[in-house]
Amino acid sequence: MAKQRSRRRRGPRLLDLPGIWLGQHLQSAMATLRRLLETPLPTGMTVAVIGISLALPAALYVLADNLRTMAGGWDQTAAISLFLQYETNDGDANRVAADLRGWPEIAQVQMITREKALDEFRALGGFEEALEQLKNNPLPVVLAIYPRTEHSPPAQLETLQTKLLELPEVDFARMDTLWLQRFQAILDLIQTGVLLLGGLLGMGVLLIVGNTIRLEILNRRIEIEIMELVGATAAFIRRPFLYAGAWYGLLGGLTAWLLVTLAILLLQGPVSRLASLYRSEFPLSGLGLSAMGIILMGSVLLGLVGSWIAVNRHLRGAEPG
Amino acid sequence: MIRFEHVFKRYPERGEALTNISFEMKVGEMAFLTGHSGAGKSTLLRLIGLLERPTRGQILVNGRNLATLPRRQIPYHRRQVGMIFQDHRLLPDRSIFDNVALPLVVTGLGQKEVGRRVRAALDQVGLLKRERATPVALSGGEQQRVGIARAIVGRPPVLLADEPTGNLDPDLSREIFELFERFQYVGVTLLIATHDLALVNSMQHRTFTLDDGRLLNDTGRW
Ligand SMILES: Nc1ncnc2c1ncn2[C@@H]1O[C@H](COP(=O)(O)OP(=O)(O)O)[C@@H](O)[C@H]1O
Ligand SMILES: [Mg+2]
């Protein structure tokens, strides 16, 4: 017995254990990857399904991101155009403008004098003859009101509009940005869609990985049984399956990123042509570094959780009957 | 090393497979377990390897009480007990080397040390030259020797064999049994189930005889 013990002592020493543990994990991870790549077709199909599932919400996110960038260029447009009574002269208008600048909900007021308005009107072209017929300038003074951004919500803008209409010098007030508000609402909708679709398809990825791992466990039943027979711990047997899940997630995430990037490259041409029709440029932005990081981390996590569920249901470790 | 105290094993479908078994084996002892088919030989060995738990009674292996051993400890117990089966239980798609290496790989032993010990084990069973082959390329006797190499590669203090020569001719069987005797000389405790009575009688070892789940005869003293 004593002889036995000393003979068996040539195992790992305590100080080596962290290195052994790390080495085991690295070895297991790489061995798992090699095994996945040995069967490229089934692995590729699983990865493709995960990639497409994740590409959909990612693409929607990119769409929302680009629309937001586009809308950002319009933020400087006046929110409310205030048309003053026709009789109001530039001096009175200046006084009203100065008064309005003191209002807390207004950031900036810009005055468009009757002369300037007429010039702009002429510049539009086609009205020269009609304007020649007129003795007087028919245009009123217009004050462009830029509200503070925190007063932007539609309801508050409407309150501001009502308040402005009560001023005696004001003829009528036109909300310029109602459509911008609607556009914002649509953006919010898309963003909610990203979350919903992401959640739904994330669940799908969980199920795909879970099922793939479940089949793999069933395929390797005999091997697992023999490993348990010779003293493999539950953790050792589970490890390669968990790594497989993580690899599926990572490869799927990379595929999703590739698909979205490819789509952007393909769309950039048509979008540039469209933008040039409006005498503008619009470089599409792709998945940023942080978005890519989130997708990859999320996909690895989904893969891990999916395989963890399968492993927990089907690999309970050695259990005597 | 192995101690049974009033062990019963009952299968709901069959009734009692083992009835009130008590015996003890010392370190380095080699014994045969005989009895008719269905007598309970495999069941007894499975209890020692903790492939199954007894319905009643206590089993101690190497000082461990298997009844109180928590589930998490089962793998570590199995590393102390090498098991050999009639049907070998080899992985057909792995090389001989990989098959024998399995008990070491699951302990996380380094690659170099694994290689060294696997070759030592294969050398002991005379299969050093076949390490690259797969099990299907080997004869029945060779496959059984691979199974033995896998059982001893982790140097367990206890070795169990369930009809290891069931499919082999007498000469090959004798070879295998002589191999077991060599392990006994280095201090391994061996329990071998067999119904090859001719061979059992020709070798001077303690012999347990089971009859319908009861320990009929024990030629040893304890
Ligand atoms: N898992 C099991 N479930 C039900 N009955 C079993 C099981 N294993 C063995 N038995 C029964 O227990 C008895 C003893 O079986 P076993 O130990 O395999 O005998 P031996 O190995 O001596 O031929 C047999 O009658 C067998 O049918
Ligand atoms: Mg049997």
Side-chain angles (χ1 to χ4, degrees), chain A residues 1 3-5 7-8 10-12 20 24 27 220 222-234 236 316-321, chain B residues 9 50-53 62 71 74-76 78-80 83 85 89 91 94 102-103 105-108 116-117 150 154-157 186-187:
Chain A
M1 189 69 221
K3 208 173 91 192
Q4 286 276 329
R5 274 271 158 77
R7 200 163 58 98
R8 302 185 48 76
R10 248 185 292 157
I20 288 172
Q24 260 193 32
Q27 205 181 333
R220 297 176 64 195
I222 296 168
E223 185 182 347
I224 291 166
E225 214 170 274
I226 291 175
M227 291 209 290
E228 284 175 353
L229 216 57
V230 299
T233 57
F236 183 88
R316 299 176 161 279
E319 195 161 19
Chain B
K9 177 69 188 179
L50 252 183
L51 305 185
E52 293 185 62
R53 286 188 189 277
N62 202 1
R71 234 183 81 182
I74 292 174
Y76 303 98
R78 295 215 179 133
R79 292 175 195 179
Q80 303 277 302
M83 284 181 274
F85 305 90
R89 305 250 183 122
L91 289 170
R94 302 288 187 83
L102 202 60
V105 170
V106 302
T107 66
R116 211 180 59 72
R117 291 204 199 172
R150 185 182 66 192
R155 295 170 187 164
V186 296

Side-chain angles (χ1 to χ4, degrees), chain B residues 37-215:
Chain B
S37 178
K41 304 183 292 293
S42 299
T43 303
L44 193 150
L45 294 183
R46 284 206 299 269
L47 290 178
I48 299 174
L50 252 183
L51 305 185
E52 293 185 62
R53 286 188 189 277
T55 314
R56 256 206 295 156
Q58 289 210 330
I59 302 169
L60 282 90
V61 178
N62 202 1
R64 261 187 245 252
N65 187 342
L66 300 193
T68 58
L69 199 70
R71 234 183 81 182
R72 298 178 58 89
Q73 289 294 317
I74 292 174
Y76 303 98
H77 168 69
R78 295 215 179 133
R79 292 175 195 179
Q80 303 277 302
V81 179
M83 284 181 274
I84 297 156
F85 305 90
Q86 181 173 3
D87 58 358
H88 327 304
R89 305 250 183 122
L90 301 177
L91 289 170
D93 56 342
R94 302 288 187 83
S95 69
I96 300 308
F97 181 97
D98 288 347
N99 265 286
V100 175
L102 202 60
L104 300 179
V105 170
V106 302
T107 66
L109 196 66
Q111 239 172 341
K112 250 171 74 182
E113 185 67 6
V114 168
R116 211 180 59 72
R117 291 204 199 172
V118 168
R119 295 205 174 85
L122 282 173
D123 194 23
Q124 275 187 286
V125 299
L127 283 175
L128 196 48
K129 292 202 177 72
R130 307 302 306 270
E131 62 171 80
R132 290 281 133 237
T134 52
V136 283
L138 302 186
S139 70
E142 285 172 325
Q143 286 185 29
Q144 193 53 275
R145 270 145 58 201
V146 175
I148 293 169
R150 185 182 66 192
I152 61 162
V153 76
R155 295 170 187 164
V158 176
L159 209 54
L160 308 175
D162 194 356
E163 310 208 25
T165 60
N167 299 325
L168 303 183
D169 62 53
D171 284 348
L172 276 174
S173 301
R174 176 161 288 280
E175 239 175 72
I176 299 261
F177 278 70
E178 281 166 4
L179 191 59
F180 286 145
E181 280 182 325
R182 288 216 294 276
F183 300 140
Q184 187 204 353
Y185 293 146
V186 296
V188 177
T189 308
L190 289 108
L191 185 55
I192 301 151
T194 178
H195 48 230
D196 193 342
L197 285 179
L199 210 73
V200 168
N201 290 332
S202 74
M203 295 173 94
Q204 296 300 306
H205 291 290
R206 185 178 176 187
T207 304
F208 299 105
T209 307
L210 279 175
D211 180 47
D212 202 18
R214 290 171 192 280
L215 192 53

Side-chain angles (χ1 to χ4, degrees), chain A residues 4 68 73 83 130 138 141 145 205 234 241 259 281 304 311 316:
Chain A
Q4 286 276 329
R68 194 178 304 286
F83 293 81
V141 181
I145 310 281
V205 169
F241 295 105
L259 286 174
E281 277 173 40
L304 256 177
V311 155
R316 299 176 161 279

Side-chain angles (χ1 to χ4, degrees), chain A residues 22-296:
Chain A
L22 251 179
Q24 260 193 32
H25 273 268
L26 202 72
Q27 205 181 333
S28 184
M30 294 321 288
T32 305
L33 181 62
R34 242 176 286 126
R35 223 195 45 245
L36 288 180
L37 296 180
E38 266 169 25
T39 52
L41 201 67
T43 302
M45 289 212 321
T46 304
V47 167
V49 172
I50 297 169
I52 291 167
S53 302
L54 294 174
L56 282 172
L60 205 58
Y61 167 81
V62 170
L63 176 73
D65 197 40
N66 278 298
L67 288 178
R68 194 178 304 286
T69 313
M70 195 160 80
W74 304 326
D75 266 352
Q76 288 312 306
T77 320
I80 298 174
S81 295
L82 212 57
F83 293 81
L84 300 186
Q85 302 282 1
Y86 182 68
E87 305 80 42
T88 316
N89 60 34
D90 287 358
D92 289 339
N94 254 326
R95 206 170 30 71
V96 174
D99 184 30
L100 289 178
R101 282 191 189 99
W103 288 24
E105 57 267 63
I106 291 174
Q108 206 190 326
V109 178
Q110 198 188 334
M111 194 170 100
I112 299 154
T113 61
R114 303 170 65 159
E115 287 307 311
K116 197 166 163 240
L118 193 62
D119 284 347
E120 278 184 15
F121 201 57
R122 279 202 187 99
L124 282 176
F127 295 103
E128 288 93 346
E129 276 181 36
L131 288 171
E132 292 302 323
Q133 306 287 316
L134 294 168
K135 279 186 230 132
N136 300 323
N137 182 349
L139 300 172
V141 181
V142 176
L143 297 180
I145 310 281
Y146 301 87
R148 289 194 194 283
T149 36
E150 59 258 41
H151 288 283
S152 285
Q156 268 162 333
L157 269 182
E158 267 166 44
T159 318
L160 180 60
Q161 187 190 19
T162 321
K163 242 172 109 183
L164 288 169
L165 277 173
E166 281 165 8
L167 295 174
E169 295 89 348
V170 174
D171 184 14
F172 72 95
R174 197 183 69 206
M175 297 261 259
D176 284 336
T177 52
L178 202 59
W179 69 275
L180 196 64
Q181 304 292 328
R182 291 193 183 122
F183 189 76
Q184 280 292 344
I186 291 171
L187 272 185
D188 289 346
L189 197 70
I190 294 180
Q191 203 153 34
T192 313
V194 169
L195 289 178
L196 259 168
L197 201 65
L200 224 71
L201 290 168
M203 291 278 278
V205 169
L206 224 61
L207 293 178
I208 293 160
V209 174
N211 197 46
T212 306
I213 298 293
R214 181 183 68 88
L215 289 177
E216 207 166 323
I217 290 172
L218 293 182
N219 270 338
R220 297 176 64 195
R221 261 270 100 95
I222 296 168
E223 185 182 347
I224 291 166
E225 214 170 274
I226 291 175
M227 291 209 290
E228 284 175 353
L229 216 57
V230 299
T233 57
F236 183 88
I237 290 171
R238 290 163 165 221
R239 203 175 295 148
F241 295 105
L242 294 177
Y243 275 121
W247 281 121
Y248 280 133
L250 184 67
L251 295 176
L254 284 173
T255 306
W257 172 78
L258 206 73
L259 286 174
V260 172
T261 306
L262 218 70
I264 288 166
L265 283 178
L266 288 175
L267 284 174
Q268 182 63 73
V271 166
S272 291
R273 248 169 281 140
L274 187 67
S276 74
L277 289 181
Y278 288 90
R279 294 199 186 78
S280 135
E281 277 173 40
F282 193 66
L284 287 173
S285 61
L287 280 168
L289 218 60
S290 61
M292 189 182 159
I294 288 171
I295 287 180
L296 287 186

